[in-house]
Each structure stands twice: as structure tokens, then as C-alpha cells.
Amino acid sequence: MYEQTQHMQDGSGGTLSVERLLYAVRRRLKLVIIMPVLAAALSTAYALSLPSRYDASAFVQIDPRQKSISNLQGIMADLQPDAATVESEVEIIRSKLVILKVIDILNLRSDPEFSQPPVWVQLLNRAGILASNAPPQEAPRQEPVESVNTDPITGILGPAKPGQTRPTRDALAAVFADRLGVWRVRNTLLLEIRFTSESASKAAKIANTVAEVYLAEQLKQKQEVADHASQVLKHQLAGLRRSVSEAERRVAEFKSANDIFDSEGQILGEKQLARLMEQTVMARNTTAEARAKFEMAERISKSGQDIGEIAEVLQSDTVRLLKEKVARATGQEAELATRYGPRHPEMQKIRAEVADAQSQLAREVRQLVSNLKNELQVAEHRERTLNASLAALKSDDTVSKTAGVRLNELVREADSSKMLYESLLARYKQTVGTQKLQLPDSRIVEQADTPLSPAGPRRGRIITLATFGGGVLGLAVAILIEFLTFGIGRPEDVEQVFELAHLASLPALDHDQQPGVALHDMRLMVAQPSGSFAEAIRALRREVDVRRAHEGSRIIQVASSLPGEGGGIVASNLALHYAMTGTRVLLIDADMRRAHLTRELAKTRHVGFADAISRGVPVEQAILFDGATGMHFLPATGSAPTLVAPAEIASSRTTTETLNRLKSQFEVIVMDAPPLLPVIDARILADQSDQIVFVMSWRSTPKQLARRALSSLGYNQGKLVGVVVNQVDEDLLSDQIGHLDDTRPPGGWTGFALRQRAA
């Protein structure tokens, strides 16, 4: 069953393959050859009309090193070696300021190379293609500038200098800029300045002049900035000098009026106050320490604690020795107590020694506590004395505090004015000293030499590329024509586009409208039995036979989607082949509207298929017989017109009965049906057919129409045997099956005649 499926091949000529591409190129070989030849001719003429072009390059290096002769820093900082700086310098070299100076220096306004259009434009003007009535170009004018002067330091616009002018848009500068190329050499600090000219020496001269003007403008800008800065600094220094003198005078007068003296840069009263405060703090610390020792010793003494703890607090060597003496005596007393009684002389003696040692220790401690008290009293007295002196000095300082604040303000003002003055004075001396010692931030590392050979135009490359492009264009056009067809590009694409078997490919036939040509095409099996068309019919017959669903008689319907696709020729020659091989075959012209087969094969008929059905005439009376081939033919209509519509005849019960009766008399019935799309007759006759052969023209029948025609068969699509591609190019067929002998038999096909079959 045929399904109406959308394939990837829609809108193209079929599948893409190397064989298909080679065929497309071979079939349109003339176009493929003409395109590059034409492109080569045109490109040659164009290349020869172009003048020779010479390129000369000068190289400039941006030098970031310090170049001032003096060690003082210049007003303008040196260029930084970064990408932004390099790109900025490139644009400066290409600026209109540099270009116009070069034009004026070399007097290029009178140079014919820059004032005349290119050769090809002159040729087109002479031919009248680019003729223009525009007036000749005038020399660029210099308009006065009213208020466009720019401060070189701040960049702010100011009033113009007397006589200063500004150039207007210059067409010559635009032409010059198009021939000037400036770019950075890789990632270095080198800039290549290249100029293109028709003269080798002129190209080198202009490139060198551009480099020299660039360096001169760079140096000139530095000198102008330095001169302007020195004038500004000189004017500011005069005012600052007066400000510094006035500030210092006010400071001296204020000190004299308020009896303020200073020592080593500090006011005497403030210096005394600082020292007295330091001594007072030290006295307070001494008093606190003495009070802590005295209070601790007194507390331990009154509490009755071990006197040894006081010794540890007092940290006295004498106390420590006496304490050790008491400890030794106490130890000896304990030792003697184990041997003697309490009244023993030794015990009394040792007790006396212990009591004496303890008495000495107590006296020493009391003496130390008394000393601590004296030290505390001395420290407190000194602290009171210093506090009194500090209070008096603070009282005096409070009185002069307001005067000190004012004095500090005057001093700061004088110091700031002095610092600013000294800074500007140093800057002014530096500017004046380096004004005439400036060097440019770039240098020429290589001047442009006169080129020995032209850089362009590359005529060989132009011609080669144009020829290659023409060849590619020719191939592309040939392939596009091959694949952008509405029909079937190659017969084998049938199976991919329609999902039906490809039964045969019939070669294209000559249609020169000569008398008898149509009859000749319908009987090619007899006229040219060894030709390629006859071989294709034999292949078609075999495919139809092997695809039949049952044995016995059958009706083979030959249908097409539109008129003129060769369905009648296929049906006639297929029936002739069956007849010539001994098969009892009947050819029916079922196209009762056009009756194309009937007009060619049976011009003198009297009764036809339509007459037999509509008038009740036995159909056997309308069948004609060809004695030369043994084929039977049933014309569509008789000599008289039929009033019944063909669709009514095809759908009548009589037609069904008639066809069934004819199937019992013939082995094969080949029925040439009308087109499927314009009329319904063929769809009705398909109900009576056993096999349907669909015919379509190569590259002519649109695939969408063919799908619609096949879909119109409805449930009869299952009877479709396959597709026959008609009118295929001989070159395409020769690639597939080779060339065949097309020799006609003796006598040709002129002896054909049909006679009425005996009842």
C-alpha cells in the first residue's frame, strides 16, 4: 500500500551521491567550462587595466625610556609602553593634522596621481557609464577659527590665536588616508608606516615624510606645553612670594605682641609645663609605692603575725640574717631539749640566745617600719610641692591658650604658603631648564627604501581566483539545476520518494511534429525492436509479470497524473510486446475523452468501446486485429460522437460485465486510462483492474502532483505495481545500461494495418 509520506528528498532532485554529482557536471559540461573561461577573460581585462602599485614602509619605535638631557622630570610624562598608548599613537599618525602637513610639505595637491580618478573609473567615464555633471573639485579652503584654541595643559577650549585657521573636510586627505597604513608590529613597540603609490620613489618619500612629521609634531607639542607651563608657573610664583612674606610677617608681629618666646621650635611655657607634668607623675608613683609598703608593714605588725613576713615585705638583708639566727637558735634549743631538762644550764643558755636574737630582729623591723614612714612623708611632701607648682603653671597657660591657638593658625598658614611656593619654584626652574632640552618619545629605526618590485596588483592571483571562482560557480549552478528540480532527478529516486518499485526507465523520444511520428512512437517495439526503448519495455513487462497477484487473465491499467506523460505510448508498446511473444493480448483505449490511441491506430474505426457500452452493441464488433503482430485493439469511440458521459460509461454495470467477458477471451488486457487528476474516469476503471502501472515524466511531473494522483486511487493503491519513468535523458541511461544498437528492421514500420476481427 502506497502511503503519502513526506521525504527528505522533497524539493530536491533526489539523493546526493558522487555518481549523481558527476552526472550533473557531465550533462552540463558546457556551462561548467564556459563559466571559468568567461571569468578568466573578464578578470584578465580588469587586472591589465589596473596600474602597478608600490608599497614602502618606514618603522618608528615608541621609546618609553627617559630622554630628557637634564635629570629633572619634564612637564609631560613619557609614553607608557601599554596597548592603549600604542594604539593612540597609531591614530595620531593617521590623523588629519599629520596628513595635511605631509600634503603641504610634498605639494601633493598638484600631483596627478591624487587629483585624477583611477584608470578603470576614467574608462567607464569615457564610455558614458559613470558620466557625471558635477563641477570639478575645488581646493580645500582654510576657514578661520573663532573660538577653537585649546589649552595644551588642561585641554580646555579657549580664544583663538590671531591668524589661526582650521582646515575643512579635504577630499585629498581622504584619498591619502586610504593609501596610508599604520599598524603595530606584533606585540612590540614598533609601528610600521606603509604608503602605497604608483611611483616607487614617491611611496618611499611619503612614508619617510609621515614618520618625520610625526616626530616633529611630538617634539613641538612638548615644547609648546613646556613654554605655556613656564608662563603659568611664573605668574603664580609672583603671587605666592607675596603671600609667604605677608604670612611670616603676621606670625612675628603676633609673637611680639603677646610676649611669646619659643625654644627649639617650641613655646617656652609649653615646654616647662610638659616637664613639670612629667615630674609630678613620677612623684605620684613614688608616693604610692612608699604608702603601700608602709601600710602593709604596719598592718602585719599590729596583727601580731610572724615577724618574718614583715622581713619578706621589707626585703632587708639584715632582717633576713637575724631571721636565720633566730631559726638556728630555735633549732639548737629543740635539740638540747631532748637531752636535758628545762633547768639545765645549757638549756638556760640557749634560751637566752633565742631571746636575744628575737629581740634584735624586732628592733630591726621597728627601725625599718619607721624608715618607711619617713620615706612616705618625704614623698607626699614632694608630691604636694609639685602639684602646687603645676597648678600655678596651668593657670598661667590658660591665660595664654587663646593666643597660642591664633599663633598656631598663623604658623600653619605661613608654612603651607611656604611649601607651595617652594614646590612651584622648583617646578618653574625645572620647566625653564628643560624647555629647550626636550626629545621626542619615538624615533625612526628604519627609513623606507625605494621598492624594487611592485606590490600589486597581483594580477596572477586575481585571474586565478576569478577563474577558480568561475569554475566553482559553474559547478554550483550545474549541481543546483540538477537537484532543484520539481520532478524525479534520477529514476532510482522513485523508490525513496514514492516507496514504490521502479519498473523501468524509458528513453526520451524525438517529437519534431512530423507526420506519423506519434504512430511511430506507439509502435516502437516493431519499428526498433533492438533499441533502448524496446529493452525498457521488455524490462517493464518482466517486472509486471513477476508482481502479479494470481495466475490467469488480468487487466493491466496504465495511468498517469497529467496528460502528455506518455501513458498511451507505454500501454501500446507493452501490448505489442505481449502480442509479439505469443500472448493473446487486448489493448483498450479507455481514454474516451481524448482517444489518443484511437486517432493514431484506428483512424477508420466505426464502433468503439463507448459505443458498445452506451448503445448495447457487442464489444467484439469493435475490436480490431493487427495481423503483423497478433495484437487486438479496442478503440475508445466510434466515428459518431457518444452522448453519455465517459465517467457514467466507466461506472456502469455493463462495463464491468464487458471487461469480465473480455478477460475470458484474452490472457492480458492492457488498458490505457485517462489521467488521474483532471478526471475521475481512471479512478473508476481502477476498480476493474488487476494491476496498475503509473507513468510519470522525468523531471517534468512534480512530485507533489504525482503523490496526489497516487493517493486518489484510494483503496486501489494496493494494485500499484510500480512507477515507469518516461522521457529520461539518453546520457543518464547510458551511464546505467550502456549504449544499445538502434538499428531498424528492413521495411521499417510503414506496413502497419489493423483490420476488423472476424466475429
Side-chain angles (χ1 to χ4, degrees):
M1 176 68 68
Y2 172 78
E3 298 179 359
Q4 189 174 4
T5 307
Q6 189 74 12
H7 292 275
M8 293 177 61
Q9 290 80 12
D10 289 358
S12 64
T15 57
L16 180 64
S17 63
V18 177
E19 180 185 0
R20 185 73 178 277
L21 295 176
L22 293 177
Y23 167 74
V25 174
R26 185 170 60 254
R27 189 166 183 267
R28 298 168 182 85
L29 188 59
K30 292 182 179 179
L31 176 64
V32 176
I33 295 176
I34 289 175
M35 292 293 287
V37 172
L38 181 60
L42 294 177
S43 61
T44 301
Y46 172 73
L48 293 177
S49 65
L50 296 176
S52 297
R53 175 173 51 84
Y54 294 88
D55 290 347
S57 297
F59 291 88
V60 174
Q61 179 189 11
I62 298 177
D63 192 357
R65 296 171 297 182
Q66 182 71 27
K67 291 167 288 297
S68 179
I69 296 178
S70 66
N71 293 327
L72 298 178
Q73 182 181 3
I75 295 298
M76 293 184 63
D78 294 332
L79 296 179
Q80 299 300 319
D82 52 18
T85 301
V86 175
E87 295 299 329
S88 300
E89 295 303 305
V90 169
E91 295 303 321
I92 291 175
I93 297 176
R94 291 181 52 86
S95 65
K96 193 173 181 181
L97 174 65
V98 175
I99 290 176
L100 290 177
K101 285 185 176 295
V102 174
I103 291 175
D104 294 337
I105 291 173
L106 299 180
N107 194 22
L108 297 180
R109 299 188 185 279
S110 59
D111 194 325
E113 179 181 349
F114 295 92
S115 60
Q116 295 182 0
V119 176
W120 63 275
V121 175
Q122 298 181 29
L123 294 176
L124 293 179
N125 288 333
R126 293 176 182 176
I129 299 176
L130 295 179
S132 175
N133 295 326
Q137 180 182 357
E138 297 180 358
R141 296 174 297 173
Q142 302 290 331
E143 296 181 353
V145 178
E146 297 179 357
S147 59
V148 295
N149 188 29
T150 304
D151 193 306
I153 299 296
T154 62
I156 302 176
L157 295 179
K161 297 179 181 179
Q164 183 179 3
T165 58
R166 176 181 58 193
T168 59
R169 180 174 178 82
D170 196 335
L172 180 58
V175 175
F176 189 97
D178 291 338
R179 301 190 179 192
L180 177 64
V182 184
W183 51 82
R184 184 181 185 181
V185 180
R186 295 185 295 276
N187 293 327
T188 65
L189 297 179
L190 292 177
L191 300 180
E192 180 180 358
I193 303 175
R194 179 179 297 178
F195 194 81
T196 301
S197 175
E198 298 176 4
S199 171
S201 59
K202 186 188 302 182
K205 185 176 182 180
I206 293 177
N208 291 328
T209 305
V210 170
E212 294 169 358
V213 169
Y214 163 66
L215 297 183
E217 286 296 318
Q218 198 175 74
L219 182 58
K220 178 182 177 183
Q221 182 185 17
K222 280 192 170 186
Q223 293 176 350
E224 289 179 351
V225 169
D227 179 65
H228 182 80
S230 63
Q231 297 298 326
V232 173
L233 292 174
K234 183 178 180 181
H235 176 73
Q236 292 181 352
L237 282 173
L240 284 175
R241 188 181 297 108
R242 292 190 296 270
S243 299
V244 170
S245 300
E246 181 66 20
E248 291 179 346
R249 184 185 60 79
R250 287 198 297 268
V251 170
E253 291 177 354
F254 186 82
K255 287 182 178 181
S256 176
N258 293 274
D259 295 331
I260 297 176
F261 303 96
D262 54 6
S263 174
E264 299 179 357
Q266 188 175 5
I267 299 176
L268 184 60
E270 294 178 354
K271 194 172 183 179
Q272 291 177 349
L273 180 61
R275 291 179 180 177
L276 187 58
M277 289 180 66
E278 181 180 356
Q279 293 175 1
T280 302
V281 171
M282 293 176 62
R284 288 175 182 175
N285 294 335
T286 303
T287 303
E289 183 179 357
R291 181 180 292 108
K293 289 182 179 181
F294 172 73
E295 290 177 353
M296 182 175 292
E298 188 178 20
R299 184 174 64 254
I300 294 174
S301 176
K302 291 180 180 180
S303 63
Q305 296 180 2
D306 186 8
I307 198 168
E309 295 181 1
I310 299 177
E312 293 179 359
V313 171
L314 298 177
Q315 296 181 355
S316 172
D317 293 336
T318 303
V319 174
R320 181 176 56 79
L321 294 175
L322 291 174
K323 184 179 178 181
E324 293 177 355
K325 182 178 179 181
V326 171
R328 286 195 302 270
T330 304
Q332 291 177 0
E333 181 184 6
E335 182 181 355
L336 293 175
T338 58
R339 292 183 297 176
Y340 305 107
R343 295 183 178 184
H344 192 278
E346 293 294 333
M347 289 295 296
Q348 293 178 357
K349 181 180 179 180
I350 195 63
R351 288 194 191 100
E353 291 179 1
V354 171
D356 182 61
Q358 290 178 346
S359 176
Q360 291 179 6
L361 178 60
R363 286 194 302 271
E364 184 65 25
V365 168
R366 286 193 297 272
Q367 182 64 35
L368 291 175
V369 171
S370 177
N371 293 338
L372 290 175
K373 183 177 181 180
N374 293 333
E375 291 178 1
L376 175 61
Q377 292 175 353
V378 171
E380 289 177 347
H381 177 73
R382 177 175 174 76
E383 181 181 355
R384 287 193 297 272
T385 303
L386 290 175
N387 286 333
S389 300
L390 181 62
L393 192 59
K394 284 183 177 180
S395 178
D396 296 339
D397 183 69
T398 303
V399 176
S400 62
K401 183 65 71 174
T402 303
V405 171
R406 177 58 181 166
L407 177 62
N408 292 334
E409 181 180 352
L410 294 175
V411 170
R412 286 195 299 270
E413 182 179 352
D415 291 343
S416 61
S417 299
K418 186 177 180 180
M419 291 176 58
L420 181 58
Y421 173 75
E422 292 175 352
S423 175
L424 287 180
L425 180 60
R427 193 64 170 170
Y428 173 73
K429 292 181 178 180
Q430 171 194 356
T431 304
V432 173
T434 60
Q435 183 174 358
K436 302 300 182 181
L437 303 178
Q438 297 291 340
L439 294 176
D441 292 326
S442 304
R443 63 190 182 94
I444 300 177
V445 296
E446 182 180 344
Q447 289 191 341
D449 295 330
T450 302
L452 301 179
S453 59
R458 300 183 179 180
R459 298 180 176 86
R461 177 177 295 183
I462 294 174
I463 297 172
T464 301
L465 292 178
T467 304
F468 178 76
V472 172
L473 181 61
L475 291 173
V477 171
I479 293 173
L480 286 177
I481 294 175
E482 174 69 18
F483 284 91
L484 295 181
T485 177
F486 293 102
I488 295 297
R490 290 178 69 86
E492 58 266 22
D493 295 337
V494 169
E495 298 180 359
Q496 298 180 2
V497 176
F498 301 110
E499 295 185 355
L500 289 174
H502 171 226
L503 301 179
S505 298
L506 304 181
L509 302 176
D510 296 332
H511 295 83
D512 52 6
Q513 303 300 328
Q514 294 180 0
V517 170
L519 179 60
H520 169 266
D521 293 344
M522 294 176 183
R523 294 181 59 81
L524 275 175
M525 289 300 300
V526 179
Q528 299 177 5
S530 59
S532 57
F533 188 89
E535 289 298 326
I537 292 296
R538 295 186 183 98
L540 171 61
R541 184 257 177 93
R542 182 184 180 282
E543 295 295 330
V544 172
D545 288 346
V546 298
R547 285 175 169 80
R548 59 185 174 182
H550 56 81
E551 298 292 335
S553 301
R554 53 200 165 106
I555 298 177
I556 303 173
Q557 178 179 343
V558 179
S560 61
S561 56
L562 298 172
E565 294 185 337
I569 297 176
V570 175
S572 174
N573 284 280
L574 180 61
L576 283 173
H577 179 51
Y578 274 111
M580 293 169 65
T581 56
T583 303
R584 187 173 176 79
V585 62
L586 172 64
L587 174 62
I588 300 178
D589 186 1
D591 190 355
M592 292 170 280
R593 301 174 186 269
R594 297 185 306 131
H596 183 58
L597 286 178
T598 301
R599 289 197 305 270
E600 298 296 335
L601 299 180
K603 295 181 180 180
T604 60
R605 81 279 182 191
H606 299 288
V607 182
F609 182 64
D611 301 316
I613 301 301
S614 60
R615 299 176 186 175
V617 178
V619 72
E620 288 79 6
Q621 296 182 8
I623 296 176
L624 303 178
F625 177 74
D626 179 13
T629 61
M631 183 189 72
H632 296 78
F633 176 64
L634 177 58
T637 59
S639 57
T642 303
L643 301 179
V644 182
E648 302 297 334
I649 295 175
S651 60
S652 65
R653 181 180 297 177
T654 305
T655 299
T656 304
E657 295 174 352
T658 300
L659 292 176
N660 290 333
R661 187 170 69 253
L662 291 175
K663 286 178 65 175
S664 64
Q665 300 176 16
F666 297 94
E667 299 178 50
V668 176
I669 298 176
V670 179
M671 182 166 52
D672 178 28
L676 290 169
L677 292 180
V679 294
I680 199 175
D681 304 357
R683 286 172 262 172
I684 298 174
L685 294 173
D687 297 339
Q688 311 300 327
S689 303
D690 298 296
Q691 292 179 295
I692 301 175
V693 176
F694 185 74
V695 180
M696 64 181 298
S697 296
W698 176 68
R699 288 186 174 273
S700 299
T701 304
K703 290 188 287 293
Q704 294 295 340
L705 292 181
R707 287 196 182 95
R708 192 186 307 169
L710 293 171
S711 179
S712 67
L713 291 173
Y715 68 90
N716 289 318
Q717 293 182 48
K719 300 178 182 180
L720 283 166
V721 180
V723 179
V724 176
V725 182
N726 194 20
Q727 299 293 326
V728 181
D729 193 351
E730 288 282 359
D731 295 338
L732 179 59
L733 291 177
S734 64
D735 290 342
Q736 298 175 339
I737 61 176
H739 294 280
L740 298 176
D741 186 10
D742 201 21
T743 306
R744 298 181 181 181
W749 46 271
T750 56
F752 168 72
L754 284 172
R755 60 180 178 84
Q756 188 73 27
R757 190 183 69 152

